[in-house]
Amino acid sequence: MFGLTHEAVIGYTVRDILGETQAARTAAMLVGLRNGETPQWSDWVTDATGARRYLEQASAPCFDREGTLVGFIALTRDITALKEREEALEARLAALNVAETINTAIIKTSIDPIMVVDEEGVLIDLNPAAMATFGYARSHAVGRPISDLIIPPAMRRAHADGMARYTRTGISRVLDQRMSMEAQRADGSLIPIELTISEISLPQRRVFTAHLRDLSQVRESERQMEQQRDRLHQAEKLSAMGSLLAGVAHELNNPLAILVAQSTLLMETAVDAAQKRRAERIHAAADRAGRIVKSFLAMARQRPEKRETAQLNDLVRATAEMLAYGLRSHDVTLELDLDPHLPTILADQDFIGQVVANLVINAQHALIEMEPPRRVTIATRRKNGHVRLVVSDNGPGVPEAIAGRIFDPYFTTKPAGVGTGIGLSICKSIVESHGGSIALDRSEDGGARFTVLLPAAVQADADAEAEGPADRDGLTILVVDDEADVGASLAEMLELFGHRVLPAQTAREALDEGAIAEAELVFVDLRMPGIDGLKFRDKAIALNPRLADRVVIMTGDAVEGPGAIERHAGDGTIPVMEKPFTLNDVRRILAAFT
């Protein structure tokens, strides 16, 4: 055992042969041995040479014939190889137990579903995430075919054929491949999933582990991102269309200003009734065109709210004129039932006009698929200190199931490409910001009826507008406009009111000829070559301080014009007259300075 001869052992102590540790163990045993005990032990032992062995030992006292203790016998067996095999096996089993514990913990705590099926396609295990995702309890799921649990009915035949083919040929097109498909939940609903199937070979059989991932949130996020991209694209298109519309309208304003002004002057100076009627027809057409252009500009204009007293009937009429062609082209009749004694409201006219336009356009869209007659009605009434606007149609109406969501942002019943789903939510926001309310119900004809309530304005004593030329001392007024016909038309209007006009076609001309010093009031176009209207205003006031707050800016630029004027004014205000202007517009401006 120790590779020693008798001569190297007999006569030597345990300490000499096995070392200090074993000598201490032997000394402790001697006490019990002398008392007749037979101790046994097994342990690792290192001898004097440093060799390490696992020993089993049993010891007993030795007596002579007379019963006298003469020594001790120790029977020792070297089982080092056996012990090493045992320890290796224990270590392996311990490692397996740790690995199994870890694997079990991973499966149970995985946030993704994991399901295990056998070769017959029967579910033998599933983790908590799978139970939560598909709505099955373990007791109701284990032991059932996986095809009955999560495979949609339309795909069950293909699933069965695939399992049979793999069992027969060992060839699979799905093992260890990442796939996207739909899975069925316990309640019958379908969800999108990502799936990977792996095979595990066990000693008695093989099983298949499916790792699944619920893609519902991912798909919803993708859908929302796509919607946001569509909304951004739509907003960009609307912005571009608004800028284009505003540019076209701005170009129309100068010739419209001439038409309105000249037709007004013709009406005032007509020598007979026939000539006056012709002038009135021209003026009515030009005035209508001017209001339509202003309505387009108001919708394209991007600016903060501006509250002022307004007549809701006027906003309704302007909207009706703007939408008249579109309604006629779809064979839709627009009926106006307007209260002539309607009180004024304190409102942003552009925004309230947008509310009326959105409600009418929605009604038009609802009637497209209807057989004639197609009818939209706008009615205004007074009600308990409020002004009531009702827009109704004889269309199919809004189903009760979605009526509660009709004002939600981006909710729409219109087909793709027809609506954005933001019109009614914007209407609700505008109306509520004005202290009002908007509600939906059914009209007498069964169609949709939207009712808007807005607070009536506190009535103040209004200054009566003169119907003819003012009876007051005339002013010396400088008119500067690079459009000669616009300037000439304004000059004729001012002269009609008894004022003296100093015309100038450019800002440089007005400054060089000294007209500034003589002028008591100035009308100047905003956009002119060289020196624009705002720079001219500054120079005019510097040369003639009496003109402070008496320089009126004329503009048809609804996109950049209002912002430029507001920034230039700073904390003050600059009088503005929008093109095209009528005789009443000029009269109101003059009333502030005379």
Side-chain angles (χ1 to χ4, degrees):
M1 183 183 298
F2 297 105
L4 300 174
T5 63
H6 286 81
E7 290 77 15
V9 174
I10 297 174
Y12 292 91
T13 66
V14 173
R15 179 177 287 102
D16 295 333
I17 301 172
L18 298 179
E20 193 67 38
T21 300
Q22 193 61 26
R25 185 197 296 268
T26 301
M29 287 191 304
L30 290 177
V31 177
L33 286 167
R34 289 189 178 96
N35 294 327
E37 297 176 1
T38 57
Q40 299 182 14
W41 59 270
S42 60
D43 200 358
W44 287 98
V45 174
T46 303
D47 62 22
T49 65
R52 187 170 180 270
R53 301 171 184 276
Y54 195 86
L55 305 179
E56 284 183 349
Q57 180 174 293
S59 302
C62 183
F63 300 93
D64 61 12
R65 291 172 183 265
E66 287 76 23
T68 302
L69 178 65
V70 295
F72 309 98
I73 296 176
L75 301 177
T76 305
R77 184 170 61 171
D78 183 359
I79 58 172
T80 302
L82 176 62
K83 186 63 177 177
E84 287 177 345
R85 287 195 298 272
E86 287 180 354
E87 289 187 347
L89 180 60
E90 288 176 358
R92 183 178 178 186
L93 290 174
L96 289 174
N97 288 336
V98 171
E100 183 179 354
T101 301
I102 293 174
N103 289 337
T104 301
I106 291 173
I107 291 172
K108 287 184 177 180
T109 59
S110 172
I111 62 174
D112 289 330
I114 299 175
M115 309 180 85
V116 182
V117 300
D118 61 15
E119 292 178 291
E120 303 300 323
V122 175
L123 181 70
I124 60 177
D125 198 7
L126 75 167
N127 70 340
M131 290 185 277
T133 298
F134 295 101
Y136 288 107
R138 179 182 296 277
S139 59
H140 293 160
V142 173
R144 293 176 59 186
I146 192 70
S147 59
D148 293 347
L149 297 173
I150 69 170
I151 305 297
M155 299 177 61
R156 289 174 184 173
R157 170 58 61 185
H159 169 76
D161 292 345
M163 288 288 292
R165 181 174 57 253
Y166 179 67
T167 302
R168 184 176 64 256
T169 65
I171 300 174
S172 172
R173 293 192 294 268
V174 299
L175 283 181
D176 300 319
Q177 301 293 321
R178 192 184 298 270
M179 300 175 293
S180 295
M181 57 181 291
E182 283 189 329
Q184 182 172 277
R185 301 181 76 252
D187 60 7
S189 61
L190 299 180
I191 60 172
I193 64 167
E194 188 176 68
L195 171 68
T196 302
I197 301 175
S198 301
E199 180 182 335
I200 300 176
S201 296
L202 300 178
Q204 291 81 19
R205 59 175 177 171
R206 57 185 174 184
V207 297
F208 301 93
T209 302
H211 294 258
L212 307 97
R213 184 184 178 199
D214 184 357
L215 298 179
S216 298
Q217 291 185 352
V218 174
R219 295 291 169 80
E220 177 63 18
S221 298
E222 292 175 349
R223 186 186 66 81
Q224 291 181 0
M225 289 180 64
E226 185 64 27
Q227 284 186 342
Q228 290 173 0
R229 283 193 291 267
D230 290 343
R231 292 167 194 164
L232 179 60
H233 181 57
Q234 183 74 7
E236 290 173 347
K237 289 197 299 182
L238 291 174
S239 177
M241 290 175 63
S243 297
L244 177 62
L245 179 62
V248 172
H250 176 58
E251 291 301 317
L252 289 174
N253 271 331
N254 282 329
L256 280 175
I258 298 169
L259 281 171
V260 171
Q262 290 297 325
S263 61
T264 301
L265 292 170
L266 283 174
M267 291 165 53
E268 296 290 339
T269 60
V271 296
D272 56 51
Q275 188 182 53
K276 186 173 183 178
R277 283 195 300 272
R278 293 190 185 97
E280 287 174 346
R281 293 192 186 100
I282 297 172
H283 177 77
D287 189 47
R288 180 185 174 194
R291 288 196 303 271
I292 292 174
V293 168
K294 282 188 176 181
S295 298
F296 283 144
L297 290 174
M299 295 183 68
R301 186 178 295 146
Q302 297 179 356
R303 58 163 179 78
E305 281 193 19
K306 180 182 178 182
R307 301 292 177 87
E308 55 190 356
T309 56
Q311 176 53 251
L312 182 59
N313 287 345
D314 293 340
L315 300 179
V316 170
R317 292 188 187 98
T319 302
E321 289 179 345
M322 181 179 66
L323 301 178
Y325 174 77
L327 292 168
R328 286 197 308 271
S329 64
H330 288 88
D331 197 16
V332 176
T333 301
L334 179 62
E335 299 177 354
L336 301 183
D337 180 13
L338 308 182
D339 183 352
H341 305 294
L342 204 65
T344 60
I345 57 175
L346 187 63
D348 186 300
Q349 298 188 45
D350 293 347
F351 288 174
I352 296 301
Q354 184 178 353
V355 170
V356 179
N358 279 343
L359 295 178
V360 174
I361 291 171
N362 280 350
Q364 175 187 323
H365 287 165
L367 293 169
I368 288 177
E369 301 299 328
M370 298 288 294
E371 290 296 326
R374 304 184 183 106
R375 184 173 60 257
V376 177
T377 302
I378 306 178
T380 57
R381 294 291 186 272
R382 290 173 291 174
K383 183 178 181 181
N384 301 329
H386 285 72
V387 173
R388 183 172 64 181
L389 168 74
V390 179
V391 179
S392 58
D393 61 66
N394 64 334
V398 179
E400 292 185 6
I402 63 173
R405 301 177 57 198
I406 201 71
F407 295 107
D408 292 349
Y410 302 107
F411 178 80
T412 179
T413 60
K414 299 172 185 175
V418 176
T420 62
I422 63 175
L424 287 176
S425 66
I426 290 176
C427 289
K428 185 173 186 290
S429 176
I430 291 174
V431 171
E432 290 180 348
S433 72
H434 282 73
S437 64
I438 182 171
L440 165 70
D441 62 356
R442 282 192 173 272
S443 67
E444 290 79 2
D445 296 325
R449 177 170 59 193
F450 289 89
T451 301
V452 176
L453 286 178
L454 294 170
V458 178
Q459 292 293 324
D461 293 333
D463 295 333
E465 292 185 353
E467 294 299 327
D471 184 17
R472 56 175 64 91
D473 294 336
L475 299 175
T476 299
I477 302 176
L478 174 62
V479 176
V480 187
D481 197 314
D482 59 318
E483 287 279 345
D485 290 338
V486 175
S489 297
L490 176 58
E492 291 184 62
M493 288 183 173
L494 295 172
E495 289 170 349
L496 186 66
F497 291 133
H499 301 290
R500 173 172 170 251
V501 177
L502 304 175
Q505 196 166 345
T506 66
R508 180 62 60 190
E509 176 185 341
L511 293 170
D512 290 346
E513 293 185 0
I516 297 298
E518 191 177 354
E520 298 173 278
L521 182 65
V522 177
F523 286 82
V524 60
D525 189 28
L526 175 63
R527 302 300 183 197
M528 296 187 298
I531 302 174
D532 65 18
L534 293 173
K535 292 179 181 178
F536 175 82
R537 172 183 179 274
D538 295 340
K539 292 180 180 293
I541 294 174
L543 293 172
N544 184 356
R546 292 181 305 164
L547 294 176
D549 299 326
R550 297 180 70 85
V551 178
V552 180
I553 301 295
M554 300 182 294
T555 180
D557 182 357
V559 179
E560 299 178 359
I565 295 171
E566 185 177 348
R567 288 191 297 272
H568 199 83
D571 296 332
T573 58
I574 297 176
V576 177
M577 185 170 71
E578 291 187 351
K579 298 178 181 180
F581 45 80
T582 66
L583 201 63
N584 283 336
D585 294 331
V586 176
R587 181 185 289 115
R588 281 193 292 269
I589 292 291
L590 290 174
F593 301 105
T594 56

